[in-house]
Amino acid sequence: MSKISNQFAAIIKAKIKKYAKTQKQEQHDEGCVVSVNDGIVIVSGLDNAMLNEIVKFENGSFGMVLNLEANCVGVVMLGNYTNIKENSRVIRTRQTISVPVGDNLLGRIINALGFPQDGLSNIKYKIKMPIEKIAPNVMMRETVSRPLETGILSIDSMFPIGKGQRELIIGDRQTGKTTLAIDTIINQKGKNVKCIYVAIGQKESSVVQIYQTLKKAKAMEYTTIVNAPASDLPALIYIAPYTGTTIAEYWLNRGEDVLIVYDDLTKHAINYRTLSLLLRRPPGREAYPGDVFYLHSRLLERSCQLNKKNKGGSITALPIIETQIGDISAYIPTNVISITDGQLFMVTSMFNAGQRPAIDPGLSVSRVGSSAQRSYVKQTASTLKLDLARYNELRSFSQFGSDLDDETKQILNHGERIMALIKQAPNKPYEEIAEVLILFAIKNRIIDYIPLNLINNFKDEMLEYFIKQKNVKELSKKQTLDGKLTAALLKEMQQFTLKFIKKIPNYDSKQYGDIAKLK
Ligand code: ATP
Ligand code: MG
């Protein structure tokens, strides 16, 4: 008898224990609002809430837990918070933020939560993925080895970008940063690279303009725009780059190549600083919170080239940073420079002087891309950087002296022509073979025979003539210049140049070098 009663007692005890546990859990799954301030809600009672967990408010809005403290949690609002009152109920959802991913997002503008912003139909999706994820580890990665063509001559030749690389575009306002990124997206047409443009804290009007540019270039077919405009809630601006990366990771995991542009991370950092100060986190240097480095490093580490075992996909990232009067040693610029694999430094003075894209050849670098450069680009671009460095050095001297020796004159002439040739209008990327032809003419000093004011006419005519040539077709197939091909191409180009020169009235052959060498 006592045995049975003991058994009953045990069952009842277990039931009570379980009941107490669920009661306790329910208690901790529901909290109440302590205060509401600028989109930040302090909630008490959510003892078990997780970092980045979504919580639901009585008015139907959602928020994200960003601060965990002893007696309360700090929640940033993801929706309307005007009618949230003190003491109103808050419920845990036990979920972190996840966004829809997949091919249906191509051609669309979405907000940071994945909802359409373009006034078109709802987006059908099968999968949602959490926006925070640990980056692939070293064993899953491979070194950068395939080029990502930007179609911008100065970048592809001197600062080549490889698939899986992170190349920072940095410069003051209005120096053509966004244009570089958009041109790179346009140039991915037909190259099997999906693109994501994340607009962070920008004007809606600029985003519309970018959408129209991409649409006109038929680039929206393979592009998604994640838009978190300046008017959005700070929490949405904060998660936007992670949303973009998550969408990119879906394709990465399927072995595809993705290009992602973060425009720009300065605004992202400033927005995060605002959030952190409102959450009363201690301010550090320039009032940024202590983890602002981690904010961007955990984002950019997710861009990578995966190895064959992991399907070999890649995410190439072009983060953009805006500087104040060219100061790249400020806090956020130095952080992002140290996280990325190189930077394209845009200079206001060059931009204003009409030398656009205004990429500083001295301060810009690409630390990993050169191993990804195709052989014929590498061969023809080999002397370019040095030529430009010598030109820039002598240019400042030559301003004072009037009598220059022949060698100096030649370096200056050559440099001036290179500078004219690397000017490039927006939204007009070059095909790779066209770049190789221009670089070939530069390397073999063909351009030195052409008067500076005619250099672009020469380039246009030369490209038009050569692209159809047999040798050039062979070159674009082989993608490398052997001795025979080089000699044949050089001869052909010399003859073309001679013909071009003959058409120029009053051509002063002494000024430009010995024409006999062209024969
Ligand atoms: P912001 O700081 O406002 O974001 P930004 O640095 O992104 O500016 P863009 O918006 O790309 O600069 O360009 C500024 C202006 O310069 C635009 O009107 C653009 O058309 C023009 N521009 C950019 N690149 C070139 C170029 N290569 N040739 C001629 N004009 C250009
Ligand atoms: Mg811009």
Side-chain angles (χ1 to χ4, degrees), residues 174 176-179 197 202 206 210 263-264 267 320 322:
Q174 291 288 304
K177 303 181 298 296
T178 303
T179 306
Y197 176 79
Q202 293 199 40
S206 344
I210 286 163
D263 194 1
D264 63 62
K267 294 196 187 77
I320 295 179
E322 185 184 301

Side-chain angles (χ1 to χ4, degrees), residues 240-255:
Y242 303 100
T243 301
T245 312
T246 306
I247 296 168
E249 273 167 354
Y250 168 77
W251 289 312
L252 170 80
N253 294 338
R254 288 156 44 115

Side-chain angles (χ1 to χ4, degrees), residues 334-352:
T334 42
N335 275 357
V336 184
I337 286 174
S338 70
I339 300 165
T340 46
D341 308 306
Q343 73 272 355
L344 299 166
F345 186 54
M346 315 290 284
V347 196
T348 313
S349 57
M350 278 172 83
F351 189 83
N352 291 343

Side-chain angles (χ1 to χ4, degrees), residues 83-204:
N83 51 357
I84 292 177
K85 296 194 187 79
E86 208 180 290
N87 282 334
S88 63
R89 263 177 6 129
V90 187
I91 304 163
R92 277 186 66 191
T93 62
R94 296 165 184 272
Q95 280 171 1
T96 55
I97 297 189
S98 50
V99 290
V101 293
D103 289 350
N104 287 349
L105 293 173
L106 294 173
R108 305 298 301 263
I109 308 180
I110 56 169
N111 76 355
L113 293 172
F115 293 108
Q117 296 268 290
D118 45 12
L120 302 174
S121 59
N122 280 347
I123 297 170
K124 290 197 184 90
Y125 59 88
K126 289 195 190 113
I127 310 172
K128 271 183 137 186
M129 277 166 50
I131 60 162
E132 291 280 358
K133 206 189 127 210
I134 303 285
N137 63 31
V138 267
M139 298 311 289
M140 295 171 74
R141 295 177 186 231
E142 208 172 66
T143 51
V144 169
S145 63
R146 297 173 301 144
L148 183 112
E149 298 150 44
T150 63
I152 297 159
L153 180 64
S154 45
I155 299 180
D156 288 343
S157 57
M158 293 185 281
F159 318 107
I161 300 173
K163 288 193 172 129
Q165 182 174 346
R166 298 146 314 160
E167 183 79 4
L168 171 65
I169 301 174
I170 182 167
D172 284 0
R173 8 186 329 267
Q174 291 288 304
T175 48
K177 303 181 298 296
T178 303
T179 306
L180 275 195
I182 295 300
D183 285 0
T184 309
I185 292 182
I186 291 176
N187 195 48
Q188 302 314 311
K189 188 160 182 53
K191 296 195 171 73
N192 243 335
V193 177
K194 301 227 160 58
C195 300
I196 297 165
Y197 176 79
V198 188
I200 307 164
Q202 293 199 40
K203 292 188 293 261
E204 298 258 27

Side-chain angles (χ1 to χ4, degrees), residues 33 35-37 39-43 57 73-77 81 84:
V33 173
S35 70
V36 189
N37 240 334
I40 305 286
V41 184
I42 306 295
V43 181
F57 289 84
V73 297
V75 176
V76 290
M77 290 305 297
Y81 60 90
I84 292 177

